């Protein structure tokens, strides 16, 4: 860790050239003697990625940034704040601490927070940042988190872990057993140090696969930010064997959208299908990830267009956890009908449809954007429909 990066001259350089092309800077070089040009460029690249993702860090002076990969892999402030408000207590340990954003928010809900990371430089700069941000209840320990749990006699209220989805030998992986650390393999150790675990996984992890690999799962939170699923949060409680609660949330600037249900390996029986009516509904990304397609229809008393289309319809407008549209025109999809409509600019969505968005745009010469929304889908009678909609 080069503390000269925190000098007045180095910090002024970083802030001056935040919007400059990195390759140009690398070729041009700098006149600073105690900090290399690559080190400065690494700081610039990382800080730029924090503008929207980590505004608290971005706005504070003299923050020491890791490489851009660490920034890409860390939680955003909004998702970190969400997960932190789910839990509280006296002590929590994060055994895969990383850049420390999650611990920053855990510190608002716990008396003592322990941050473990095996990377020496990362551990040092996180400790510097915590001190600079005025946090005094987080201990940063430069060690492997699992090794620390094996040697400590401390019992924690919660253990938090965010296993890496990149394996040294296997590359990017999709099973918990292939992540680092291997959580399924070490559940006994984890439960010997805390009765409750919070595990963050990538959105790509299949929920049914995760439930096969883990035990004592009590709740799964599916967290989306502005309709993009960012993470799955698995709450494990030692000895729990009941139903698994599924809690979906779409974090938005104008208020969070929540839908809760129970996990069902076998989908709920559903018979309320309909051709398109006056209004169309598309569930948000968190609900789509949950697979609770029938549960949301039953809860909001709306009809589905098709078992596999995941679009819903009603005759009167209702509240719904997703996008809402008024169907202006509907017809059976055909080249002739498309030509008669004469639409050349629109937002296009396909659900359970054999032609991709890209191919539809090319085939019918439709550019992206505007106030018209086209849905290409299949109805329960297996006819292919085109729905011309306006957003509610």
């Amino acid at each position: 860790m080069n503390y000269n990066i925190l000098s007045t001259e180095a910090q002024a350089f970083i802030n001056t050239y935040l919007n400059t092309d990195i390759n140009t800077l690398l070729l041009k070089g700098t006149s600073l003697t105690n900090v290399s040009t690559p080190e400065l460029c690494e700081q610039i690249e990382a800080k730029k990625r924090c503008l929207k993702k980590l505004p608290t860090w971005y706005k504070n002076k003299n923050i020491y940034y890791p490489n851009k990969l660490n920034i890409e892999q860390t939680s955003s402030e909004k998702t970190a704040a969400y997960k932190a408000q789910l839990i509280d207590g006296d002590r929590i340990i994060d055994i895969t601490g990383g850049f420390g954003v999650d611990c920053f928010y855990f510190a608002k809900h716990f008396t003592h927070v322990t941050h473990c990371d095996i990377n020496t430089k990362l551990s040092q700069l996180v400790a510097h940042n915590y001190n600079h941000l005025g946090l005094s209840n987080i201990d940063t320990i430069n060690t492997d988190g699992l090794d620390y749990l094996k040697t400590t006699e401390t019992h924690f209220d919660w253990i938090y872990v965010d296993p890496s989805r990149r394996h040294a030998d296997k590359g990017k992986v999709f099973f918990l057993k292939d992540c680092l650390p291997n959580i399924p393999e070490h559940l006994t150790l984890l439960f010997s140090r805390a009765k409750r675990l919070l595990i963050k996984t990538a959105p790509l992890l299949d929920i049914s696969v995760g439930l096969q690999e883990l035990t004592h799962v009590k709740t799964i939170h599916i967290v989306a930010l502005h309709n993009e699923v960012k993470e799955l949060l698995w709450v494990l409680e030692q000895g729990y064997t009941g139903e698994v609660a599924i809690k979906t949330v779409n974090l938005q600037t104008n208020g969070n959208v929540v839908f809760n249900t129970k996990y069902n390996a076998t989908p709920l029986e559903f018979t309320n299908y309909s051709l398109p009516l006056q209004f169309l509904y598309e569930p948000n990304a968190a609900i789509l990830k949950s697979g609770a397609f029938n549960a949301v229809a039953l809860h909001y008393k709306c009809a589905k267009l098709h078992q596999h289309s995941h679009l819903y319809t009603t005759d009167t407008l209702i509240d719904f956890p997703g996008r809402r549209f008024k169907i202006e025109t509907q017809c059976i999809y055909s080249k002739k009908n498309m030509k008669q409509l004469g639409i050349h600019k629109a937002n296009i969505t396909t659900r359970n449809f054999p032609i991709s968005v890209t191919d539809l745009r090319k085939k019918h010469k439709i550019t992206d954007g505007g106030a018209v929304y086209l849905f290409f889908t299949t109805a329960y009678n297996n006819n292919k429909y085109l729905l011309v909609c306006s957003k509610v």
Side-chain angles (χ1 to χ4, degrees):
M1 183 171 170
N2 184 0
Y3 285 97
N4 291 307
I5 282 175
L6 301 172
S7 69
T8 303
E9 295 80 10
Q11 288 295 302
F13 183 91
I14 291 166
N15 291 324
T16 299
Y17 292 98
L18 266 181
N19 297 312
T20 303
D21 178 66
I22 293 299
N23 292 324
T24 301
L25 284 178
L26 287 169
L27 288 172
K28 184 179 179 181
T30 70
S31 59
L32 278 71
T33 57
N34 294 324
V35 184
S36 68
T37 302
E39 284 178 311
L40 290 167
C41 288
E42 181 178 74
Q43 292 296 298
I44 290 170
E45 283 193 294
K47 183 170 182 176
K48 283 196 295 188
R49 283 169 166 75
C50 294
L51 175 60
K52 293 182 179 179
K53 188 174 186 178
L54 304 174
T56 298
W57 279 256
Y58 184 88
K59 292 175 183 177
N60 270 273
K61 296 179 180 179
N62 296 322
I63 292 294
Y64 202 123
Y65 295 94
N67 63 57
K68 62 181 180 181
L69 181 61
N70 287 122
I71 300 297
E72 290 171 0
Q73 292 177 338
T74 193
S75 300
S76 68
E77 285 197 57
K78 289 182 178 178
T79 59
Y82 173 80
K83 70 168 67 75
Q85 56 88 30
L86 299 175
I87 58 179
D88 58 25
D90 183 39
R91 293 183 179 274
I92 185 173
I93 182 171
D94 181 349
I95 65 171
T96 51
F99 190 48
V101 178
D102 289 315
C103 282
F104 176 89
Y105 280 91
F106 290 148
K108 300 175 184 293
H109 299 269
F110 287 83
T111 307
H112 304 282
V113 179
T114 302
H115 171 289
C116 291
D117 201 282
I118 198 170
N119 184 311
T120 301
K121 179 182 176 181
L122 187 59
S123 185
Q124 289 174 344
L125 68 85
V126 167
H128 160 79
N129 290 339
Y130 285 155
N131 182 61
H132 188 70
L133 292 168
L135 293 171
S136 59
N137 62 332
I138 304 179
D139 294 323
T140 53
I141 301 176
N142 177 210
T143 188
D144 178 277
L146 286 177
D147 288 343
Y148 181 79
L149 289 179
K150 292 174 184 176
T151 57
T152 185
E153 294 183 358
T154 303
H155 188 85
F156 300 91
D157 296 294
W158 287 86
I159 292 175
Y160 174 70
V161 56
D162 177 9
S164 172
R165 271 75 67 184
R166 293 190 179 275
H167 193 285
D169 299 321
K170 299 179 181 180
K172 197 168 185 178
V173 296
F174 302 96
F175 295 95
L176 280 170
K177 65 182 179 181
D178 294 326
C179 293
L180 296 174
N182 182 335
I183 300 304
E185 181 183 20
H186 292 96
L187 277 178
T188 301
L189 169 63
L190 295 172
F191 277 129
S192 73
R193 293 292 179 264
K195 292 183 178 180
R196 292 171 292 183
L197 316 178
L198 180 63
I199 303 169
K200 170 187 168 183
T201 66
L204 286 176
L205 179 66
D206 187 280
I207 291 175
S208 63
V209 172
L211 287 171
Q212 290 172 11
E213 292 189 274
L214 297 171
T215 56
H216 310 302
V217 178
K218 187 174 185 178
T219 309
I220 302 171
H221 295 262
I222 303 172
V223 185
L225 179 62
H226 301 309
N227 209 34
E228 180 183 353
V229 179
K230 294 295 187 179
E231 56 195 50
L232 306 183
L233 302 173
W234 304 70
V235 177
L236 279 61
E237 185 175 295
Q238 191 174 36
Y240 182 78
T241 58
E243 287 186 303
V244 178
I246 300 290
K247 299 191 175 184
T248 75
V249 61
N250 186 27
L251 305 175
Q252 300 181 127
T253 305
N254 59 350
N256 300 339
V257 178
V258 175
F259 177 73
N260 299 330
T261 185
K262 297 286 186 181
Y263 176 78
N264 289 286
T266 303
L268 298 172
E269 185 178 350
F270 190 81
T271 57
N272 187 18
Y273 295 97
S274 172
L275 296 179
L277 301 170
Q278 293 292 316
F279 297 95
L280 185 74
Y281 308 91
E282 180 187 40
N284 64 44
I287 291 174
L288 290 174
K289 173 61 184 178
S290 75
F293 309 119
N294 293 346
V296 75
L298 290 167
H299 181 84
Y300 288 94
K301 297 180 174 59
C302 50
K304 293 181 69 176
L305 296 188
H306 186 282
Q307 181 183 358
H308 303 298
S309 292
H310 311 319
L311 291 171
Y312 305 80
T313 189
T314 62
D315 260 328
T316 56
L317 185 64
I318 61 171
D319 287 331
F320 191 85
R323 298 197 298 172
R324 304 186 298 169
F325 301 89
K326 186 177 187 304
I327 299 175
E328 305 290 352
T329 304
Q330 60 175 282
C331 60
I332 299 296
Y333 170 74
S334 69
K335 187 175 182 180
K336 178 182 177 181
N337 286 339
M338 285 294 299
K339 187 175 182 179
Q340 287 180 343
L341 287 170
I343 297 173
H344 303 293
K345 184 175 183 179
N347 305 277
I348 296 179
T349 298
T350 59
R351 293 284 182 208
N352 190 22
F353 199 77
I355 308 174
S356 70
V357 171
T358 301
D359 289 342
L360 284 167
R361 290 195 181 283
K362 184 177 180 180
K363 183 177 181 179
H364 300 293
K365 298 180 174 57
I366 301 174
T367 58
D368 188 26
V372 177
Y373 291 80
L374 301 182
F375 282 83
F376 295 82
T377 189
T378 302
Y380 75 96
N381 59 6
N382 290 323
N383 286 332
K384 303 296 184 287
Y385 273 79
L386 164 62
L387 307 178
V388 183
C389 303
S390 59
K391 201 170 184 180
V392 176

